Amino acid sequence: MLENVKEASDAAATTAKTFIRVTEVWVPDEADGRLKRAGGLYGDLTEFEAVSGKEIFALGEGLPGKAWAEQKPIVLKGFRGSYFKRTDAAEAAGLTAGIAMPVFAGSRLTAVVTFLFGDDSEHVGAVEVWAPGEDPSGPLALQDGYFGTADHFAWISRHTRFPKGMGLPGKTWESGRPKLFHDLGISHRFLRSDSAADAGMTAGLGLPVSAPSGDTHIVTLLSALGTPIARQFEIWSLTGDGYFTVSDGVPDRLPPSARVTPGEGILGTVAATGVPVATGEPGSAIVAIPIHRNGKVTDIAAWYF
């Protein structure tokens, strides 16, 4: 029975429209320091892809530049009349909201990752930003987020606090490493499981986002069966012998001895450079985001489409 449920879930995740419609990676240009596009996943939004490939962002400019300047994840829930630079092209593509997440290795910005969303009646999922309030020891409160049509879940999230070690945001904060929660609707570890089940949420990924100032924000990506974040999630962690192995996820396609050598392949390049990637075609596309601790990549959160 469990196998049949898993097969149905995998099939739905493979064919369903994804919650995140566009993923982009912007990196500092060596010549002038502005952000240029280093990769992206656009699906069938070819015109928006073409417009985006011509953009460059200075510090504080556009959504990527603002996240860079403020050194924290930034959520933008409406493009018209905002600092977003590609509004006409985004609206033509059906994109209405986005989040930008800076990736720092110590004090050095390696990239800004942007996720863009489209608003429609079947859009279920969430991307949240959590941080402590005035007390840096916590608890975590919701700073901002995008919830698609999950209005009740959004209300619950705004009224929930997470001490260190509690729930997906709190456990991610406590460990300083990415965390993956499965079966959100029934998980005793997920404090909002009842409302997650009502909203159709199925899996959650927590990502720590550190700033040169020492501040930490937690970004959580919550996936639904009908509009999943991705087909599969994996977390790769550094081992004592210098390789990366899967520490969580659904590594059905991998042998137990699978490992990543820094510098080899897509994940190995992420491990060696500390720069995220978003590349590939539907059915074989990957997003991989490095997590830095003390200026060194210790984990890689990867998901596949």
Side-chain angles (χ1 to χ4, degrees), residues 72 74 81 89-90 111 161 203 211 278 299:
K72 66 179 183 180
I74 299 292
R161 300 293 183 269
D299 302 272

Side-chain angles (χ1 to χ4, degrees), residues 52-99:
S52 300
K54 301 174 183 178
E55 285 289 357
I56 297 177
F57 297 97
L59 181 68
E61 185 180 28
L63 182 57
K66 189 170 182 63
W68 177 19
E70 298 197 12
Q71 300 184 354
K72 66 179 183 180
I74 299 292
V75 177
L76 185 57
K77 293 190 281 286
F79 296 153
R80 180 62 58 183
S82 74
Y83 49 82
F84 194 80
K85 291 182 62 178
R86 299 166 283 166
T87 299
D88 290 342
E91 290 183 347
L95 302 171
T96 57
I99 178 174

Side-chain angles (χ1 to χ4, degrees), residues 233-237 244-251 254-256 258-260:
F233 293 97
E234 294 170 352
I235 296 174
W236 294 78
S237 298
F244 286 76
T245 60
V246 174
S247 59
D248 202 353
V250 190
L254 301 169
R259 64 183 187 180
V260 167

Side-chain angles (χ1 to χ4, degrees), residues 96-142:
T96 57
I99 178 174
M101 185 177 71
V103 179
F104 287 96
S107 61
R108 178 176 63 91
L109 180 80
T110 69
V112 176
V113 180
T114 57
F115 303 120
L116 304 179
F117 315 97
D119 195 5
D120 59 60
S121 61
E122 298 179 354
H123 218 63
V124 178
V127 176
E128 307 168 318
V129 180
W130 300 85
E134 295 182 0
D135 182 356
S137 63
L140 297 173
L142 184 70

Side-chain angles (χ1 to χ4, degrees), residues 6-241:
K6 181 181 182 303
E7 288 174 3
S9 298
D10 288 347
T14 301
T15 59
K17 181 169 66 175
T18 56
F19 182 69
I20 297 174
R21 296 191 61 197
V22 170
T23 301
E24 302 171 317
V25 177
W26 301 88
V27 300
D29 184 85
E30 293 182 359
D32 62 12
R34 293 185 295 172
L35 297 174
K36 66 177 182 179
R37 193 183 64 178
L41 299 175
Y42 295 86
D44 59 357
L45 303 181
T46 54
E47 293 185 9
F48 183 76
E49 180 179 7
V51 170
S52 300
K54 301 174 183 178
E55 285 289 357
I56 297 177
F57 297 97
L59 181 68
E61 185 180 28
L63 182 57
K66 189 170 182 63
W68 177 19
E70 298 197 12
Q71 300 184 354
K72 66 179 183 180
I74 299 292
V75 177
L76 185 57
K77 293 190 281 286
F79 296 153
R80 180 62 58 183
S82 74
Y83 49 82
F84 194 80
K85 291 182 62 178
R86 299 166 283 166
T87 299
D88 290 342
E91 290 183 347
L95 302 171
T96 57
I99 178 174
M101 185 177 71
V103 179
F104 287 96
S107 61
R108 178 176 63 91
L109 180 80
T110 69
V112 176
V113 180
T114 57
F115 303 120
L116 304 179
F117 315 97
D119 195 5
D120 59 60
S121 61
E122 298 179 354
H123 218 63
V124 178
V127 176
E128 307 168 318
V129 180
W130 300 85
E134 295 182 0
D135 182 356
S137 63
L140 297 173
L142 184 70
Q143 303 298 300
D144 211 340
Y146 177 75
F147 296 87
T149 58
D151 295 334
H152 179 68
F153 185 80
W155 187 92
I156 293 293
S157 299
R158 294 187 188 101
H159 293 82
T160 302
R161 300 293 183 269
F162 290 96
K164 187 170 287 189
M166 295 295 292
L168 178 57
K171 286 189 176 295
T172 304
W173 186 28
E174 179 183 50
S175 67
R177 315 188 84 152
K179 290 292 181 182
L180 185 59
F181 275 21
H182 309 274
D183 302 319
L184 294 186
I186 60 174
S187 174
H188 68 279
R189 300 186 301 162
F190 193 73
L191 300 187
R192 298 168 286 166
S193 58
D194 288 344
S195 54
D198 291 340
M201 306 289 187
T202 56
L205 175 67
L207 300 170
V209 181
S210 299
S213 64
D215 293 338
T216 296
H217 290 73
I218 305 300
V219 171
T220 53
L221 288 76
L222 307 180
S223 190
L225 185 60
T227 49
I229 297 291
R231 171 170 52 88
Q232 178 174 303
F233 293 97
E234 294 170 352
I235 296 174
W236 294 78
S237 298
L238 183 64
T239 62
D241 56 6

